[in-house]
Amino acid sequence: MENKLAGSEGNFEPSYEWQHEEGFDLLLVHLPEFKDKEGLKVQVSNCGVLKISGDRQENQTRLRFLKEIQVKKNHDKDEIKAKFEKGVLKITLPKKVGEEYELTTTSNKSRFKKFKKVATGVAAIVVVVAALSGFAYYIYRTTIIKN
């Protein structure tokens, strides 16, 4: 877990790791250069991008970093929490509850709607064909009786 300093400006790329649990995912961002949470920001955009940034003055060097990660659709972006302790920023990304059930239900509903639409179309075609057949039979019978 090595951090790379880029030049004299003090820009660096923090190392991080994911831990996947049943109800949430945990992102651990290793920041040994930061002693406290001052200068750290964790934001989530409307587009679902998790933006982690830090800016800190240490001696004559200014330390800065920026990390952007796309939040997965199965995470509840409104419930993301962050906690900093002992040089590690812990970001908890809770998973949405009942999402699998909702997707299955939606899928079954849309299948039923499609089936209903197709069945209605087929029924309409059968009625039209029956009416045309009846009309053709009527015309046939009336022409034979007249002749």
Side-chain angles (χ1 to χ4, degrees):
M1 313 250 168
E2 210 174 296
N3 293 331
K4 299 175 186 173
L5 291 175
S8 62
E9 292 181 7
N11 294 331
F12 69 99
E13 177 76 21
S15 62
Y16 66 94
E17 62 182 290
W18 285 97
Q19 292 181 0
H20 303 285
E21 303 294 331
E22 190 167 326
F24 62 93
D25 289 330
L26 186 65
L27 175 61
L28 303 174
V29 183
H30 300 278
L31 300 166
E33 294 85 359
F34 286 76
K35 304 301 177 213
D36 55 33
K37 64 181 182 179
E38 189 175 324
L40 293 175
K41 286 184 185 177
V42 177
Q43 301 168 311
V44 181
S45 73
N46 290 338
C47 301
V49 176
L50 178 65
K51 183 178 176 181
I52 309 159
S53 62
D55 191 352
R56 176 181 182 92
Q57 187 75 29
E58 187 174 294
N59 300 328
Q60 299 294 325
T61 307
R62 185 174 184 183
L63 299 172
R64 290 187 290 182
F65 75 92
L66 173 64
K67 186 79 180 163
E68 292 183 341
I69 298 171
Q70 183 66 45
V71 177
K72 294 180 182 177
K73 291 182 181 183
N74 69 333
H75 289 124
D76 188 352
K77 67 180 181 179
D78 296 328
E79 296 297 321
I80 294 174
K81 306 267 188 250
K83 183 178 180 180
F84 183 79
E85 58 183 34
K86 298 180 183 176
V88 178
L89 181 62
K90 298 177 181 180
I91 302 171
T92 305
L93 297 98
K95 293 179 182 174
K96 291 180 181 176
V97 178
E99 182 173 326
E100 290 179 41
Y101 175 76
E102 290 175 20
L103 288 175
T104 304
T105 304
T106 304
S107 179
N108 287 341
K109 283 182 183 177
S110 65
R111 284 184 194 158
F112 178 71
K113 284 182 181 179
K114 286 179 183 176
F115 174 76
K116 187 176 174 183
K117 201 177 218 180
V118 169
T120 304
V122 168
I125 290 170
V126 168
V127 168
V128 169
V129 169
L132 288 174
S133 297
F135 180 72
Y137 181 72
Y138 171 75
I139 296 295
Y140 173 74
R141 293 294 276 167
T142 56
T143 54
I144 289 181
I145 293 174
K146 287 183 183 178
N147 293 336

